[in-house]
PDB file of all heavy atoms in Angstrom:
ATOM      1  N   SER P 211     -12.234 -12.304  12.545  1.00 94.00           N
ATOM      2  CA  SER P 211     -13.580 -12.751  12.935  1.00 94.00           C
ATOM      3  C   SER P 211     -13.427 -13.924  13.822  1.00 94.00           C
ATOM      4  O   SER P 211     -12.430 -14.627  13.926  1.00 94.00           O
ATOM      5  CB  SER P 211     -14.386 -13.141  11.724  1.00 94.00           C
ATOM      6  OG  SER P 211     -15.680 -13.669  12.100  1.00 94.00           O
ATOM      7  N   SER P 212     -14.484 -14.138  14.725  1.00 91.00           N
ATOM      8  CA  SER P 212     -14.491 -15.300  15.517  1.00 91.00           C
ATOM      9  C   SER P 212     -15.321 -16.431  14.788  1.00 91.00           C
ATOM     10  O   SER P 212     -15.471 -17.572  15.258  1.00 91.00           O
ATOM     11  CB  SER P 212     -15.285 -15.027  16.816  1.00 91.00           C
ATOM     12  OG  SER P 212     -16.511 -14.496  16.627  1.00 91.00           O
ATOM     13  N   SER P 213     -15.784 -16.120  13.603  1.00 90.00           N
ATOM     14  CA  SER P 213     -16.576 -16.935  12.770  1.00 90.00           C
ATOM     15  C   SER P 213     -15.761 -17.590  11.659  1.00 90.00           C
ATOM     16  O   SER P 213     -14.808 -17.002  11.185  1.00 90.00           O
ATOM     17  CB  SER P 213     -17.799 -16.356  12.162  1.00 90.00           C
ATOM     18  OG  SER P 213     -18.592 -15.765  13.155  1.00 90.00           O
ATOM     19  N   VAL P 214     -16.054 -18.759  11.189  1.00 91.00           N
ATOM     20  CA  VAL P 214     -15.416 -19.395  10.135  1.00 91.00           C
ATOM     21  C   VAL P 214     -16.095 -19.129   8.867  1.00 91.00           C
ATOM     22  O   VAL P 214     -17.339 -19.185   8.797  1.00 91.00           O
ATOM     23  CB  VAL P 214     -15.363 -21.023  10.336  1.00 91.00           C
ATOM     24  CG1 VAL P 214     -14.736 -21.669   9.137  1.00 91.00           C
ATOM     25  CG2 VAL P 214     -14.685 -21.318  11.599  1.00 91.00           C
ATOM     26  N   PHE P 215     -15.373 -18.812   7.833  1.00 90.00           N
ATOM     27  CA  PHE P 215     -15.920 -18.405   6.517  1.00 90.00           C
ATOM     28  C   PHE P 215     -15.525 -19.426   5.488  1.00 90.00           C
ATOM     29  O   PHE P 215     -14.432 -20.035   5.475  1.00 90.00           O
ATOM     30  CB  PHE P 215     -15.444 -17.114   6.056  1.00 90.00           C
ATOM     31  CG  PHE P 215     -16.002 -15.963   6.878  1.00 90.00           C
ATOM     32  CD1 PHE P 215     -15.290 -15.467   7.954  1.00 90.00           C
ATOM     33  CD2 PHE P 215     -17.278 -15.478   6.648  1.00 90.00           C
ATOM     34  CE1 PHE P 215     -15.846 -14.425   8.729  1.00 90.00           C
ATOM     35  CE2 PHE P 215     -17.830 -14.513   7.437  1.00 90.00           C
ATOM     36  CZ  PHE P 215     -17.101 -13.912   8.437  1.00 90.00           C
ATOM     37  N   SER P 216     -16.434 -19.794   4.579  1.00 86.00           N
ATOM     38  CA  SER P 216     -16.090 -20.717   3.530  1.00 86.00           C
ATOM     39  C   SER P 216     -15.253 -20.065   2.406  1.00 86.00           C
ATOM     40  O   SER P 216     -14.518 -20.703   1.753  1.00 86.00           O
ATOM     41  CB  SER P 216     -17.422 -21.247   2.860  1.00 86.00           C
ATOM     42  OG  SER P 216     -18.171 -20.174   2.333  1.00 86.00           O
ATOM     43  N   SER P 217     -15.336 -18.830   2.191  1.00 87.00           N
ATOM     44  CA  SER P 217     -14.463 -18.019   1.408  1.00 87.00           C
ATOM     45  C   SER P 217     -14.430 -16.591   1.825  1.00 87.00           C
ATOM     46  O   SER P 217     -15.323 -16.082   2.554  1.00 87.00           O
ATOM     47  CB  SER P 217     -14.933 -18.089  -0.096  1.00 87.00           C
ATOM     48  OG  SER P 217     -16.244 -17.447  -0.200  1.00 87.00           O
ATOM     49  N   LEU P 218     -13.447 -15.839   1.405  1.00 91.00           N
ATOM     50  CA  LEU P 218     -13.332 -14.483   1.870  1.00 91.00           C
ATOM     51  C   LEU P 218     -12.805 -13.711   0.627  1.00 91.00           C
ATOM     52  O   LEU P 218     -11.931 -14.099  -0.039  1.00 91.00           O
ATOM     53  CB  LEU P 218     -12.337 -14.368   3.049  1.00 91.00           C
ATOM     54  CG  LEU P 218     -12.384 -13.009   3.716  1.00 91.00           C
ATOM     55  CD1 LEU P 218     -12.340 -13.201   5.232  1.00 91.00           C
ATOM     56  CD2 LEU P 218     -11.316 -12.147   3.234  1.00 91.00           C
ATOM     57  N   GLN P 219     -13.425 -12.520   0.542  1.00 92.00           N
ATOM     58  CA  GLN P 219     -13.084 -11.633  -0.640  1.00 92.00           C
ATOM     59  C   GLN P 219     -12.517 -10.331  -0.111  1.00 92.00           C
ATOM     60  O   GLN P 219     -12.963  -9.840   0.934  1.00 92.00           O
ATOM     61  CB  GLN P 219     -14.325 -11.483  -1.616  1.00 92.00           C
ATOM     62  CG  GLN P 219     -14.841 -12.764  -2.089  1.00 92.00           C
ATOM     63  CD  GLN P 219     -16.043 -12.603  -3.069  1.00 92.00           C
ATOM     64  OE1 GLN P 219     -16.639 -11.575  -2.902  1.00 92.00           O
ATOM     65  NE2 GLN P 219     -16.309 -13.620  -3.839  1.00 92.00           N
ATOM     66  N   TRP P 220     -11.623  -9.715  -0.907  1.00 95.00           N
ATOM     67  CA  TRP P 220     -11.197  -8.369  -0.687  1.00 95.00           C
ATOM     68  C   TRP P 220     -11.594  -7.447  -1.838  1.00 95.00           C
ATOM     69  O   TRP P 220     -11.444  -7.862  -2.960  1.00 95.00           O
ATOM     70  CB  TRP P 220      -9.680  -8.367  -0.561  1.00 95.00           C
ATOM     71  CG  TRP P 220      -9.062  -8.829   0.770  1.00 95.00           C
ATOM     72  CD1 TRP P 220      -8.725 -10.143   1.077  1.00 95.00           C
ATOM     73  CD2 TRP P 220      -8.936  -8.109   1.890  1.00 95.00           C
ATOM     74  NE1 TRP P 220      -8.254 -10.212   2.367  1.00 95.00           N
ATOM     75  CE2 TRP P 220      -8.326  -8.900   2.955  1.00 95.00           C
ATOM     76  CE3 TRP P 220      -9.048  -6.788   2.212  1.00 95.00           C
ATOM     77  CZ2 TRP P 220      -8.059  -8.504   4.220  1.00 95.00           C
ATOM     78  CZ3 TRP P 220      -8.782  -6.337   3.525  1.00 95.00           C
ATOM     79  CH2 TRP P 220      -8.276  -7.196   4.474  1.00 95.00           C
ATOM     80  N   TYR P 221     -12.146  -6.291  -1.460  1.00 95.00           N
ATOM     81  CA  TYR P 221     -12.636  -5.325  -2.425  1.00 95.00           C
ATOM     82  C   TYR P 221     -11.956  -4.063  -2.192  1.00 95.00           C
ATOM     83  O   TYR P 221     -11.480  -3.776  -1.068  1.00 95.00           O
ATOM     84  CB  TYR P 221     -14.136  -5.058  -2.326  1.00 95.00           C
ATOM     85  CG  TYR P 221     -15.034  -6.285  -2.778  1.00 95.00           C
ATOM     86  CD1 TYR P 221     -15.259  -7.301  -1.873  1.00 95.00           C
ATOM     87  CD2 TYR P 221     -15.629  -6.287  -4.002  1.00 95.00           C
ATOM     88  CE1 TYR P 221     -16.072  -8.359  -2.190  1.00 95.00           C
ATOM     89  CE2 TYR P 221     -16.436  -7.349  -4.340  1.00 95.00           C
ATOM     90  CZ  TYR P 221     -16.641  -8.338  -3.475  1.00 95.00           C
ATOM     91  OH  TYR P 221     -17.451  -9.379  -3.809  1.00 95.00           O
ATOM     92  N   ARG P 222     -11.815  -3.249  -3.290  1.00 96.00           N
ATOM     93  CA  ARG P 222     -11.358  -1.866  -3.072  1.00 96.00           C
ATOM     94  C   ARG P 222     -12.539  -0.925  -3.565  1.00 96.00           C
ATOM     95  O   ARG P 222     -13.091  -1.185  -4.596  1.00 96.00           O
ATOM     96  CB  ARG P 222     -10.114  -1.529  -3.815  1.00 96.00           C
ATOM     97  CG  ARG P 222      -9.469  -0.197  -3.570  1.00 96.00           C
ATOM     98  CD  ARG P 222      -8.099  -0.117  -4.034  1.00 96.00           C
ATOM     99  NE  ARG P 222      -8.007   0.007  -5.488  1.00 96.00           N
ATOM    100  CZ  ARG P 222      -7.667   1.182  -6.060  1.00 96.00           C
ATOM    101  NH1 ARG P 222      -7.354   2.165  -5.380  1.00 96.00           N
ATOM    102  NH2 ARG P 222      -7.659   1.228  -7.377  1.00 96.00           N
ATOM    103  N   GLN P 223     -12.797   0.075  -2.744  1.00 94.00           N
ATOM    104  CA  GLN P 223     -13.882   0.965  -3.064  1.00 94.00           C
ATOM    105  C   GLN P 223     -13.409   2.314  -3.086  1.00 94.00           C
ATOM    106  O   GLN P 223     -12.778   2.838  -2.124  1.00 94.00           O
ATOM    107  CB  GLN P 223     -15.063   0.863  -2.077  1.00 94.00           C
ATOM    108  CG  GLN P 223     -16.311   1.633  -2.452  1.00 94.00           C
ATOM    109  CD  GLN P 223     -17.449   1.446  -1.433  1.00 94.00           C
ATOM    110  OE1 GLN P 223     -17.192   0.961  -0.328  1.00 94.00           O
ATOM    111  NE2 GLN P 223     -18.593   1.862  -1.857  1.00 94.00           N
ATOM    112  N   GLU P 224     -13.581   3.131  -4.211  1.00 92.00           N
ATOM    113  CA  GLU P 224     -13.192   4.526  -4.182  1.00 92.00           C
ATOM    114  C   GLU P 224     -14.374   5.371  -3.947  1.00 92.00           C
ATOM    115  O   GLU P 224     -15.509   4.970  -4.102  1.00 92.00           O
ATOM    116  CB  GLU P 224     -12.614   4.851  -5.510  1.00 92.00           C
ATOM    117  CG  GLU P 224     -11.210   4.019  -5.808  1.00 92.00           C
ATOM    118  CD  GLU P 224     -10.433   4.438  -6.989  1.00 92.00           C
ATOM    119  OE1 GLU P 224     -10.540   5.636  -7.365  1.00 92.00           O
ATOM    120  OE2 GLU P 224      -9.723   3.705  -7.589  1.00 92.00           O
ATOM    121  N   PRO P 225     -14.210   6.643  -3.532  1.00 87.00           N
ATOM    122  CA  PRO P 225     -15.296   7.536  -3.121  1.00 87.00           C
ATOM    123  C   PRO P 225     -16.242   7.641  -4.213  1.00 87.00           C
ATOM    124  O   PRO P 225     -15.965   7.877  -5.435  1.00 87.00           O
ATOM    125  CB  PRO P 225     -14.595   8.846  -2.877  1.00 87.00           C
ATOM    126  CG  PRO P 225     -13.148   8.525  -2.501  1.00 87.00           C
ATOM    127  CD  PRO P 225     -12.817   7.269  -3.325  1.00 87.00           C
ATOM    128  N   GLY P 226     -17.565   7.433  -3.930  1.00 86.00           N
ATOM    129  CA  GLY P 226     -18.627   7.588  -4.940  1.00 86.00           C
ATOM    130  C   GLY P 226     -18.677   6.388  -5.899  1.00 86.00           C
ATOM    131  O   GLY P 226     -19.523   6.471  -6.922  1.00 86.00           O
ATOM    132  N   GLU P 227     -17.965   5.375  -5.649  1.00 90.00           N
ATOM    133  CA  GLU P 227     -17.976   4.196  -6.554  1.00 90.00           C
ATOM    134  C   GLU P 227     -18.475   2.930  -5.821  1.00 90.00           C
ATOM    135  O   GLU P 227     -18.502   2.927  -4.597  1.00 90.00           O
ATOM    136  CB  GLU P 227     -16.651   3.978  -7.091  1.00 90.00           C
ATOM    137  CG  GLU P 227     -16.011   5.238  -7.862  1.00 90.00           C
ATOM    138  CD  GLU P 227     -16.704   5.519  -9.139  1.00 90.00           C
ATOM    139  OE1 GLU P 227     -17.250   4.590  -9.846  1.00 90.00           O
ATOM    140  OE2 GLU P 227     -16.861   6.658  -9.519  1.00 90.00           O
ATOM    141  N   GLY P 228     -18.600   1.880  -6.546  1.00 92.00           N
ATOM    142  CA  GLY P 228     -18.973   0.628  -6.016  1.00 92.00           C
ATOM    143  C   GLY P 228     -17.723  -0.202  -5.801  1.00 92.00           C
ATOM    144  O   GLY P 228     -16.691   0.090  -6.211  1.00 92.00           O
ATOM    145  N   PRO P 229     -17.817  -1.257  -4.822  1.00 93.00           N
ATOM    146  CA  PRO P 229     -16.646  -2.053  -4.499  1.00 93.00           C
ATOM    147  C   PRO P 229     -16.230  -2.829  -5.746  1.00 93.00           C
ATOM    148  O   PRO P 229     -17.084  -3.302  -6.609  1.00 93.00           O
ATOM    149  CB  PRO P 229     -17.132  -3.002  -3.362  1.00 93.00           C
ATOM    150  CG  PRO P 229     -18.353  -2.405  -2.935  1.00 93.00           C
ATOM    151  CD  PRO P 229     -18.977  -1.605  -4.068  1.00 93.00           C
ATOM    152  N   VAL P 230     -14.849  -2.968  -5.956  1.00 93.00           N
ATOM    153  CA  VAL P 230     -14.326  -3.793  -7.055  1.00 93.00           C
ATOM    154  C   VAL P 230     -13.566  -4.946  -6.459  1.00 93.00           C
ATOM    155  O   VAL P 230     -12.695  -4.694  -5.610  1.00 93.00           O
ATOM    156  CB  VAL P 230     -13.475  -2.872  -7.896  1.00 93.00           C
ATOM    157  CG1 VAL P 230     -12.782  -3.682  -9.053  1.00 93.00           C
ATOM    158  CG2 VAL P 230     -14.267  -1.714  -8.600  1.00 93.00           C
ATOM    159  N   LEU P 231     -13.958  -6.119  -6.894  1.00 91.00           N
ATOM    160  CA  LEU P 231     -13.275  -7.272  -6.374  1.00 91.00           C
ATOM    161  C   LEU P 231     -11.815  -7.387  -6.716  1.00 91.00           C
ATOM    162  O   LEU P 231     -11.454  -7.167  -7.864  1.00 91.00           O
ATOM    163  CB  LEU P 231     -13.979  -8.544  -6.819  1.00 91.00           C
ATOM    164  CG  LEU P 231     -13.464  -9.924  -6.389  1.00 91.00           C
ATOM    165  CD1 LEU P 231     -13.693 -10.050  -4.834  1.00 91.00           C
ATOM    166  CD2 LEU P 231     -14.074 -11.035  -7.100  1.00 91.00           C
ATOM    167  N   LEU P 232     -10.983  -7.654  -5.635  1.00 94.00           N
ATOM    168  CA  LEU P 232      -9.507  -7.832  -5.940  1.00 94.00           C
ATOM    169  C   LEU P 232      -9.231  -9.297  -5.894  1.00 94.00           C
ATOM    170  O   LEU P 232      -8.427  -9.752  -6.762  1.00 94.00           O
ATOM    171  CB  LEU P 232      -8.786  -7.066  -4.771  1.00 94.00           C
ATOM    172  CG  LEU P 232      -8.797  -5.645  -4.703  1.00 94.00           C
ATOM    173  CD1 LEU P 232      -8.171  -5.119  -3.409  1.00 94.00           C
ATOM    174  CD2 LEU P 232      -8.398  -4.908  -5.925  1.00 94.00           C
ATOM    175  N   VAL P 233      -9.702 -10.020  -4.937  1.00 92.00           N
ATOM    176  CA  VAL P 233      -9.291 -11.436  -4.908  1.00 92.00           C
ATOM    177  C   VAL P 233     -10.395 -12.211  -4.048  1.00 92.00           C
ATOM    178  O   VAL P 233     -11.010 -11.686  -3.240  1.00 92.00           O
ATOM    179  CB  VAL P 233      -7.939 -11.627  -4.260  1.00 92.00           C
ATOM    180  CG1 VAL P 233      -8.042 -11.383  -2.668  1.00 92.00           C
ATOM    181  CG2 VAL P 233      -7.267 -12.983  -4.470  1.00 92.00           C
ATOM    182  N   THR P 234     -10.317 -13.545  -4.319  1.00 89.00           N
ATOM    183  CA  THR P 234     -11.192 -14.443  -3.405  1.00 89.00           C
ATOM    184  C   THR P 234     -10.276 -15.516  -3.020  1.00 89.00           C
ATOM    185  O   THR P 234      -9.526 -16.115  -3.743  1.00 89.00           O
ATOM    186  CB  THR P 234     -12.316 -15.076  -4.270  1.00 89.00           C
ATOM    187  OG1 THR P 234     -13.164 -14.126  -4.744  1.00 89.00           O
ATOM    188  CG2 THR P 234     -13.117 -16.060  -3.438  1.00 89.00           C
ATOM    189  N   VAL P 235     -10.321 -15.859  -1.634  1.00 91.00           N
ATOM    190  CA  VAL P 235      -9.531 -16.868  -1.096  1.00 91.00           C
ATOM    191  C   VAL P 235     -10.503 -17.935  -0.481  1.00 91.00           C
ATOM    192  O   VAL P 235     -11.476 -17.480   0.133  1.00 91.00           O
ATOM    193  CB  VAL P 235      -8.552 -16.459  -0.012  1.00 91.00           C
ATOM    194  CG1 VAL P 235      -7.321 -15.844  -0.787  1.00 91.00           C
ATOM    195  CG2 VAL P 235      -9.164 -15.413   0.857  1.00 91.00           C
ATOM    196  N   VAL P 236     -10.141 -19.201  -0.633  1.00 88.00           N
ATOM    197  CA  VAL P 236     -11.184 -20.142  -0.258  1.00 88.00           C
ATOM    198  C   VAL P 236     -10.568 -21.296   0.637  1.00 88.00           C
ATOM    199  O   VAL P 236     -11.296 -21.982   1.348  1.00 88.00           O
ATOM    200  CB  VAL P 236     -11.796 -20.864  -1.398  1.00 88.00           C
ATOM    201  CG1 VAL P 236     -12.723 -19.871  -2.215  1.00 88.00           C
ATOM    202  CG2 VAL P 236     -10.877 -21.562  -2.399  1.00 88.00           C
ATOM    203  N   THR P 237      -9.279 -21.376   0.622  1.00 90.00           N
ATOM    204  CA  THR P 237      -8.606 -22.497   1.372  1.00 90.00           C
ATOM    205  C   THR P 237      -7.809 -21.933   2.510  1.00 90.00           C
ATOM    206  O   THR P 237      -7.008 -20.953   2.408  1.00 90.00           O
ATOM    207  CB  THR P 237      -7.649 -23.286   0.460  1.00 90.00           C
ATOM    208  OG1 THR P 237      -8.345 -23.789  -0.740  1.00 90.00           O
ATOM    209  CG2 THR P 237      -7.104 -24.496   1.155  1.00 90.00           C
ATOM    210  N   GLY P 238      -7.982 -22.577   3.733  1.00 92.00           N
ATOM    211  CA  GLY P 238      -7.206 -22.091   4.896  1.00 92.00           C
ATOM    212  C   GLY P 238      -5.755 -22.147   4.578  1.00 92.00           C
ATOM    213  O   GLY P 238      -5.211 -23.111   4.048  1.00 92.00           O
ATOM    214  N   GLY P 239      -5.097 -20.991   4.918  1.00 94.00           N
ATOM    215  CA  GLY P 239      -3.609 -20.905   4.618  1.00 94.00           C
ATOM    216  C   GLY P 239      -3.283 -20.371   3.294  1.00 94.00           C
ATOM    217  O   GLY P 239      -2.106 -20.198   2.961  1.00 94.00           O
ATOM    218  N   GLU P 240      -4.240 -20.226   2.428  1.00 95.00           N
ATOM    219  CA  GLU P 240      -3.986 -19.805   1.006  1.00 95.00           C
ATOM    220  C   GLU P 240      -3.366 -18.474   0.970  1.00 95.00           C
ATOM    221  O   GLU P 240      -3.733 -17.610   1.731  1.00 95.00           O
ATOM    222  CB  GLU P 240      -5.307 -19.774   0.310  1.00 95.00           C
ATOM    223  CG  GLU P 240      -5.171 -19.508  -1.123  1.00 95.00           C
ATOM    224  CD  GLU P 240      -6.563 -19.644  -1.970  1.00 95.00           C
ATOM    225  OE1 GLU P 240      -7.541 -19.891  -1.315  1.00 95.00           O
ATOM    226  OE2 GLU P 240      -6.566 -19.419  -3.140  1.00 95.00           O
ATOM    227  N   VAL P 241      -2.508 -18.264   0.000  1.00 96.00           N
ATOM    228  CA  VAL P 241      -1.758 -17.040  -0.239  1.00 96.00           C
ATOM    229  C   VAL P 241      -1.918 -16.770  -1.640  1.00 96.00           C
ATOM    230  O   VAL P 241      -1.684 -17.569  -2.542  1.00 96.00           O
ATOM    231  CB  VAL P 241      -0.355 -17.106   0.150  1.00 96.00           C
ATOM    232  CG1 VAL P 241       0.313 -15.743  -0.227  1.00 96.00           C
ATOM    233  CG2 VAL P 241      -0.096 -17.373   1.673  1.00 96.00           C
ATOM    234  N   LYS P 242      -2.399 -15.531  -1.945  1.00 96.00           N
ATOM    235  CA  LYS P 242      -2.561 -15.144  -3.399  1.00 96.00           C
ATOM    236  C   LYS P 242      -1.835 -13.786  -3.608  1.00 96.00           C
ATOM    237  O   LYS P 242      -1.897 -12.988  -2.687  1.00 96.00           O
ATOM    238  CB  LYS P 242      -4.081 -15.021  -3.820  1.00 96.00           C
ATOM    239  CG  LYS P 242      -4.746 -16.265  -4.109  1.00 96.00           C
ATOM    240  CD  LYS P 242      -6.073 -16.086  -4.781  1.00 96.00           C
ATOM    241  CE  LYS P 242      -6.685 -17.423  -5.250  1.00 96.00           C
ATOM    242  NZ  LYS P 242      -7.925 -17.275  -5.849  1.00 96.00           N
ATOM    243  N   LYS P 243      -1.242 -13.649  -4.674  1.00 96.00           N
ATOM    244  CA  LYS P 243      -0.519 -12.327  -5.041  1.00 96.00           C
ATOM    245  C   LYS P 243      -1.125 -11.718  -6.234  1.00 96.00           C
ATOM    246  O   LYS P 243      -1.422 -12.391  -7.299  1.00 96.00           O
ATOM    247  CB  LYS P 243       0.996 -12.663  -5.241  1.00 96.00           C
ATOM    248  CG  LYS P 243       1.693 -13.107  -3.963  1.00 96.00           C
ATOM    249  CD  LYS P 243       3.207 -13.036  -4.180  1.00 96.00           C
ATOM    250  CE  LYS P 243       3.841 -13.374  -2.801  1.00 96.00           C
ATOM    251  NZ  LYS P 243       5.355 -13.157  -2.865  1.00 96.00           N
ATOM    252  N   LEU P 244      -1.280 -10.419  -6.157  1.00 94.00           N
ATOM    253  CA  LEU P 244      -1.672  -9.641  -7.286  1.00 94.00           C
ATOM    254  C   LEU P 244      -0.858  -8.436  -7.424  1.00 94.00           C
ATOM    255  O   LEU P 244      -0.942  -7.404  -6.734  1.00 94.00           O
ATOM    256  CB  LEU P 244      -3.271  -9.227  -7.010  1.00 94.00           C
ATOM    257  CG  LEU P 244      -3.936  -8.481  -8.075  1.00 94.00           C
ATOM    258  CD1 LEU P 244      -4.181  -9.302  -9.302  1.00 94.00           C
ATOM    259  CD2 LEU P 244      -5.325  -7.967  -7.563  1.00 94.00           C
ATOM    260  N   LYS P 245       0.137  -8.647  -8.287  1.00 95.00           N
ATOM    261  CA  LYS P 245       1.185  -7.533  -8.309  1.00 95.00           C
ATOM    262  C   LYS P 245       1.832  -7.212  -7.025  1.00 95.00           C
ATOM    263  O   LYS P 245       2.492  -8.048  -6.389  1.00 95.00           O
ATOM    264  CB  LYS P 245       0.623  -6.310  -9.031  1.00 95.00           C
ATOM    265  CG  LYS P 245       0.170  -6.574 -10.470  1.00 95.00           C
ATOM    266  CD  LYS P 245      -0.345  -5.306 -11.130  1.00 95.00           C
ATOM    267  CE  LYS P 245      -0.813  -5.617 -12.581  1.00 95.00           C
ATOM    268  NZ  LYS P 245      -1.362  -4.428 -13.187  1.00 95.00           N
ATOM    269  N   ARG P 246       1.655  -5.997  -6.552  1.00 97.00           N
ATOM    270  CA  ARG P 246       2.181  -5.714  -5.213  1.00 97.00           C
ATOM    271  C   ARG P 246       1.386  -6.065  -3.992  1.00 97.00           C
ATOM    272  O   ARG P 246       1.713  -5.681  -2.883  1.00 97.00           O
ATOM    273  CB  ARG P 246       2.606  -4.141  -5.245  1.00 97.00           C
ATOM    274  CG  ARG P 246       3.590  -3.754  -6.263  1.00 97.00           C
ATOM    275  CD  ARG P 246       3.781  -2.220  -6.279  1.00 97.00           C
ATOM    276  NE  ARG P 246       2.569  -1.557  -6.755  1.00 97.00           N
ATOM    277  CZ  ARG P 246       1.680  -1.037  -5.960  1.00 97.00           C
ATOM    278  NH1 ARG P 246       1.814  -0.971  -4.690  1.00 97.00           N
ATOM    279  NH2 ARG P 246       0.636  -0.396  -6.517  1.00 97.00           N
ATOM    280  N   LEU P 247       0.289  -6.626  -4.255  1.00 97.00           N
ATOM    281  CA  LEU P 247      -0.654  -7.027  -3.200  1.00 97.00           C
ATOM    282  C   LEU P 247      -0.530  -8.510  -2.837  1.00 97.00           C
ATOM    283  O   LEU P 247      -0.644  -9.339  -3.819  1.00 97.00           O
ATOM    284  CB  LEU P 247      -2.114  -6.660  -3.530  1.00 97.00           C
ATOM    285  CG  LEU P 247      -2.580  -5.169  -3.412  1.00 97.00           C
ATOM    286  CD1 LEU P 247      -1.738  -4.241  -4.341  1.00 97.00           C
ATOM    287  CD2 LEU P 247      -4.057  -5.142  -3.764  1.00 97.00           C
ATOM    288  N   THR P 248      -0.469  -8.856  -1.635  1.00 97.00           N
ATOM    289  CA  THR P 248      -0.408 -10.252  -1.166  1.00 97.00           C
ATOM    290  C   THR P 248      -1.558 -10.451  -0.234  1.00 97.00           C
ATOM    291  O   THR P 248      -1.673  -9.703   0.936  1.00 97.00           O
ATOM    292  CB  THR P 248       0.923 -10.562  -0.527  1.00 97.00           C
ATOM    293  OG1 THR P 248       2.009 -10.286  -1.412  1.00 97.00           O
ATOM    294  CG2 THR P 248       0.982 -12.007  -0.023  1.00 97.00           C
ATOM    295  N   PHE P 249      -2.431 -11.440  -0.447  1.00 97.00           N
ATOM    296  CA  PHE P 249      -3.527 -11.742   0.409  1.00 97.00           C
ATOM    297  C   PHE P 249      -3.330 -13.124   1.035  1.00 97.00           C
ATOM    298  O   PHE P 249      -2.770 -14.057   0.374  1.00 97.00           O
ATOM    299  CB  PHE P 249      -4.807 -11.792  -0.461  1.00 97.00           C
ATOM    300  CG  PHE P 249      -5.108 -10.542  -1.315  1.00 97.00           C
ATOM    301  CD1 PHE P 249      -4.506 -10.413  -2.543  1.00 97.00           C
ATOM    302  CD2 PHE P 249      -5.863  -9.653  -0.744  1.00 97.00           C
ATOM    303  CE1 PHE P 249      -4.728  -9.328  -3.309  1.00 97.00           C
ATOM    304  CE2 PHE P 249      -6.132  -8.500  -1.560  1.00 97.00           C
ATOM    305  CZ  PHE P 249      -5.554  -8.316  -2.799  1.00 97.00           C
ATOM    306  N   GLN P 250      -3.648 -13.213   2.324  1.00 96.00           N
ATOM    307  CA  GLN P 250      -3.531 -14.488   3.001  1.00 96.00           C
ATOM    308  C   GLN P 250      -4.786 -14.825   3.747  1.00 96.00           C
ATOM    309  O   GLN P 250      -5.409 -13.927   4.420  1.00 96.00           O
ATOM    310  CB  GLN P 250      -2.340 -14.429   3.950  1.00 96.00           C
ATOM    311  CG  GLN P 250      -2.134 -15.735   4.681  1.00 96.00           C
ATOM    312  CD  GLN P 250      -0.701 -15.847   5.263  1.00 96.00           C
ATOM    313  OE1 GLN P 250       0.047 -14.877   5.308  1.00 96.00           O
ATOM    314  NE2 GLN P 250      -0.331 -17.007   5.759  1.00 96.00           N
TER     315      GLN P 250
END
Side-chain angles (χ1 to χ4, degrees):
Chain P
S211 177
S212 57
S213 302
V214 176
F215 291 98
S216 60
S217 66
L218 195 137
Q219 299 180 341
W220 283 91
Y221 291 81
R222 188 165 77 108
Q223 184 179 18
E224 299 193 22
E227 304 292 329
V230 175
L231 180 67
L232 298 174
V233 77
T234 301
V235 286
V236 295
T237 305
E240 182 176 3
V241 176
K242 280 192 175 179
K243 292 193 175 185
L244 184 66
K245 296 182 181 178
R246 294 177 293 101
L247 279 60
T248 302
F249 304 86
Q250 184 163 10

